[in-house]
Amino acid sequence: MERLKQAIRERGNVLSNEVLKVDTFLNHQIDVDLMAAVGKEFAQLFKEEGITKVLTIESSGIAPSFMTAADLGTPLIFARKKKSLTMNENVYVSKVYSFTKQETNEITVSKDFINENDTVLILDDFLANGQAALGLINIVKQAGANMAGIGIVIEKSFQDGRNQLEKAGYRVESLARIHSLENGHVTFVDELVT
Ligand code: 5GP
């Protein structure tokens, strides 16, 4: 998605060879107009899949997922990283190792919101090693629901996430695929000269 790539080039900040900071439009301040375009793109890509729910993880997955769910006309559910006091024991639980925080969190989703009649689209802001997506897939499986696929705003293709998810048999659609962050410079997969 050209507009997203332009935002990454102009407003992204390469923190290291592995980490990109995009708190100017996605992870802290949110560019609502850009997120609306992201939502439209995902909705277009997955419109034939009969999706009934969009599932993401708090907090950075919520903005693009909200816009996608609005376009698809489905509810959005976000997995919680901390168990809420108002949440009873009626929950699906999965463990997720966080790439950025380097700690393992238990994520939870109420059993009230996903069941075997659902077809679920999983969305997230970044794909690194696939741990967040695999944790969400585990919850969809526990619910006995159908997986439509995985939508990612920014994929770091030099990490193993896509490989893990495709190996497990899932459709992965990423709106921007980063080949490298080396030397403080973003190179996209589709810019590679072969
Ligand atoms: P994974 O679970 O695929 O290893 O990592 C994806 C999760 O880690 C995303 O939910 C995202 O919040 C975070 N993440 C991974 N890499 C980056 C990065 O380069 N920048 C930012 N801002 N978040 C990242």
Side-chain angles (χ1 to χ4, degrees), residues 35 40 105 128 163:
M35 284 310 113
K40 270 207 176 55
N105 285 305
N163 178 37

Side-chain angles (χ1 to χ4, degrees), residues 18-177:
E18 298 215 311
V19 179
L20 174 71
K21 191 171 174 182
V22 287
D23 63 353
T24 47
F25 62 91
L26 178 56
N27 288 151
H28 194 18
Q29 171 173 257
I30 293 169
D31 181 332
V32 176
D33 199 48
L34 177 59
M35 284 310 113
V38 161
K40 270 207 176 55
E41 190 80 15
F42 280 134
Q44 180 65 23
L45 284 165
F46 287 100
K47 66 174 190 274
E48 312 292 346
E49 301 285 345
I51 291 156
T52 62
K53 304 274 165 69
V54 175
L55 175 65
T56 189
I57 187 164
E58 67 175 350
S59 56
S60 295
I62 295 176
S65 305
F66 182 93
M67 294 302 198
T68 307
D71 253 62
L72 288 169
T74 70
L76 161 66
I77 301 148
F78 61 89
R80 290 181 180 274
K81 287 181 181 157
K82 293 232 157 52
K83 221 168 163 183
S84 144
L85 280 178
T86 58
M87 238 175 177
N88 56 26
E89 292 307 308
N90 189 36
V91 289
Y92 304 114
V93 182
S94 181
K95 280 196 165 51
V96 172
Y97 178 77
S98 164
F99 173 78
T100 41
K101 302 204 171 80
Q102 309 210 329
E103 61 185 29
T104 300
N105 285 305
E106 277 198 340
I107 60 167
T108 51
V109 170
S110 168
K111 290 185 179 172
D112 290 340
F113 302 134
I114 308 180
N115 64 45
E116 67 275 9
N117 299 317
D118 283 314
T119 297
V120 180
L121 171 63
I122 287 177
L123 289 186
D124 205 4
D125 59 340
F126 272 88
L127 179 62
N129 295 309
Q131 295 305 301
L134 288 168
L136 292 170
I137 290 168
N138 180 271
I139 283 177
V140 174
K141 280 195 181 149
Q142 288 180 49
N146 188 32
M147 271 288 301
I150 298 135
I152 298 291
V153 182
I154 304 173
E155 170 187 321
K156 292 182 294 175
S157 306
F158 54 87
Q159 290 174 301
D160 200 39
R162 172 178 282 269
N163 178 37
Q164 292 288 332
L165 299 175
E166 287 185 340
K167 215 168 57 187
Y170 299 107
R171 174 181 173 195
V172 182
E173 296 285 355
S174 305
L175 303 190
R177 299 185 67 196

